[in-house]
Amino acid sequence: MAKCFSFTATRDRCLRFSFSQSGLKFTLTDLGDGTVMHCWVPRRPKPARPDLLLLHGIGANAMWQWNDFVSPLAARFNVYVPDLIFFGDSYTTRPERSEQFQAQCVAALMEAMGVKKMNVVGMSYGGFVAYSMAVQFGEKVDKLVLICAGVCLEDKDMEEGMFRVRSVDEAVSVLLPQQPEKVRDLIRVAFHRPPKRMPTCFLQDFIDVMCTDYLQERMELIVALHKDRKLSNIPKLAKSPLIIWGEHDVVFPMELAERLKRHVDGNAQLVVIKDAGHAINAEKPKEMYKILKTFLVDPPASHEPGNQMNGQKAD
C-alpha cells in the first residue's frame, strides 16, 4: 500500500512557506555546461542593504538547515540561500566534485544574480565552500564566517584516530544514511544532546524523501573532500574570518577549530558555543544567531568586557 502521508515532505512544504513569508522566492539558474542551481533569493532586493550568502552542510536541503535564521537575517540583509550542487534541485553533468568547483558554481550564481560583493556564512561542508570562495574570489567576499567547518583536516587525521569513524567509507555510511539506524548514528554524532526517541517510521520517511537523490554523487563529494588533503596545500586567506564551533563537536573536533585559527591568522576570532555538538544551528540557534549578528551587524569598535568574541565560550 502506497504511503498517503509523509512527515518529511510536509515539513519541506512548511519550510518553503516559511522562506516565502520571510520575503524570499525560489529560483533556478542555468549556469551553462550542464549545471543548474536552485537558490532562495530576495523577492525585492534593497540596494541599501548588504548582501548575505548562506551555505549549508551535507544533509537535507538548505531550507532545513537555515530556517531558524532566514527571517531575522532577512530583516537586515538581502539574503541568498542556494542548494549546493547535488542537494535540493541543484545539479551538474560535469565530473568535478571538489569544494573549489562548488565555490565556482556559487560565485557564478551570485554573478548571475547581480551580486558583486557579499558576506558569506558557511556551515560544515558549506564552510569548505565558503573558504574556497574567499580564496578564489576574495574581492567578492566581505565578511566570512566558518561554522564547524573542518577545512584544515588532513587525510592522515582519520588514520591517526581523530574521528569516531575509521575510514571514508564508514563516514559516508553515517553522513549519507540509508537505514534508520544509520540516521540514529548521524544524529548521535551531530548532537551533543540527541533526542531520546527517534521512531523508525519517521527516520525511514526522512531517508526516502531526503537521502536517496544523487547518492553516488554525494559520496563522491565526501571522498573528494578527504582525498590527499594536506594542510600545506590549503591556501591562506587575505582577511581573518569569524570561526564558530560547538564545544562538543565530534564530527569535526575542537582540534580542527584551533588548527583553522592558527592557519588563517592567530588573531582570527574563535567563538565556542557551550553544550553544543556539530549541529549548533539546531541545538543552539539563538546563541548562533546572536554571534552572527554581533559579527555581521553590530559595530566592531566595542571593547567592553562582555563584547569580546575572540576565544570566548558562548552560553
Side-chain angles (χ1 to χ4, degrees):
M1 181 177 176
K3 279 196 304 186
C4 59
F5 176 79
S6 166
F7 172 82
T8 306
T10 300
R11 174 161 172 74
D12 203 63
R13 287 192 292 271
C14 291
L15 293 176
R16 287 179 179 271
F17 178 76
S18 176
F19 269 54
S20 180
Q21 288 295 102
S22 297
L24 305 186
K25 64 178 182 179
F26 64 87
T27 61
L28 282 175
T29 302
D30 189 342
L31 301 178
D33 205 15
T35 302
V36 174
M37 289 199 73
H38 171 269
C39 187
W40 287 92
V41 305
R43 191 176 291 115
R44 298 180 184 86
K46 294 180 169 56
R49 290 182 179 176
D51 296 314
L52 175 63
L53 174 66
L54 304 177
L55 300 177
H56 66 84
I58 287 174
N61 61 46
M63 294 187 300
W64 287 65
Q65 301 184 39
W66 288 114
N67 183 60
D68 288 338
F69 305 90
V70 162
S71 180
L73 289 172
R76 299 172 178 272
F77 298 90
N78 297 315
V79 176
Y80 295 82
V81 192
D83 284 317
L84 295 173
I85 299 296
F86 299 127
F87 296 91
D89 294 321
S90 298
Y91 66 89
T92 187
T93 58
R94 294 177 57 172
E96 291 94 331
R97 298 293 183 262
S98 67
E99 72 257 39
Q100 290 81 15
F101 174 67
Q102 290 271 18
Q104 291 160 13
C105 291
V106 174
L109 170 69
M110 298 304 284
E111 184 73 22
M113 295 294 167
V115 177
K116 303 301 182 185
K117 198 172 186 69
M118 70 212 83
N119 299 305
V120 182
V121 181
M123 182 161 50
S124 193
Y125 177 70
F128 287 77
V129 179
Y131 191 100
S132 186
M133 281 192 70
V135 168
Q136 297 184 73
F137 310 100
E139 74 284 357
K140 298 178 182 291
V141 177
D142 188 8
K143 294 181 179 179
L144 175 66
V145 183
L146 304 173
I147 303 171
C148 298
V151 174
C152 289
L153 70 86
E154 298 189 276
D155 54 4
K156 66 179 182 179
D157 291 330
M158 189 169 291
E159 301 168 6
E160 294 176 355
M162 177 181 287
F163 308 109
R164 289 193 177 182
V165 295
R166 297 179 179 275
S167 68
V168 175
D169 288 344
E170 189 179 348
V172 165
S173 73
V174 174
L175 294 173
L176 304 175
Q178 297 301 296
Q179 298 89 30
E181 192 53 42
K182 288 297 183 182
V183 181
R184 292 188 180 96
D185 289 344
L186 174 59
I187 293 172
R188 290 185 189 114
V189 300
F191 286 74
H192 177 51
R193 301 184 189 278
K196 295 181 179 179
R197 298 193 63 180
M198 294 180 269
T200 297
C201 59
F202 286 168
L203 301 182
Q204 186 61 55
D205 178 62
F206 180 79
I207 293 169
D208 294 341
V209 176
M210 287 290 168
C211 303
T212 56
D213 291 341
Y214 300 117
L215 179 59
Q216 178 61 36
E217 290 85 355
R218 293 183 189 184
M219 291 171 58
E220 292 166 2
L221 294 178
I222 296 172
V223 170
L225 209 60
H226 176 267
K227 184 177 174 60
D228 298 326
R229 195 175 191 93
K230 300 286 189 295
L231 184 62
S232 58
N233 294 333
I234 299 171
K236 302 279 188 174
L237 295 178
K239 61 179 70 173
S240 295
L242 169 65
I243 304 168
I244 306 175
W245 224 268
E247 180 183 23
H248 301 285
D249 192 339
V250 297
V251 176
F252 292 131
M254 273 297 305
E255 180 180 338
L256 290 177
E258 297 289 352
R259 188 187 293 176
L260 176 59
K261 179 175 167 24
R262 291 191 302 269
H263 184 72
V264 296
D265 182 351
N267 295 317
Q269 299 178 67
L270 169 61
V271 182
V272 180
I273 297 183
K274 293 174 63 177
D275 299 319
H278 186 70
I280 57 178
N281 58 310
E283 284 194 291
K284 299 285 185 177
K286 291 180 180 178
E287 294 85 345
M288 180 172 142
Y289 172 73
K290 183 178 178 181
I291 295 165
L292 288 175
K293 177 178 175 293
T294 299
F295 182 71
L296 295 173
V297 179
D298 293 346
S302 177
H303 294 290
E304 297 176 14
N307 292 330
Q308 296 293 332
M309 296 182 67
N310 198 24
Q312 80 177 34
K313 285 191 177 181
D315 295 322

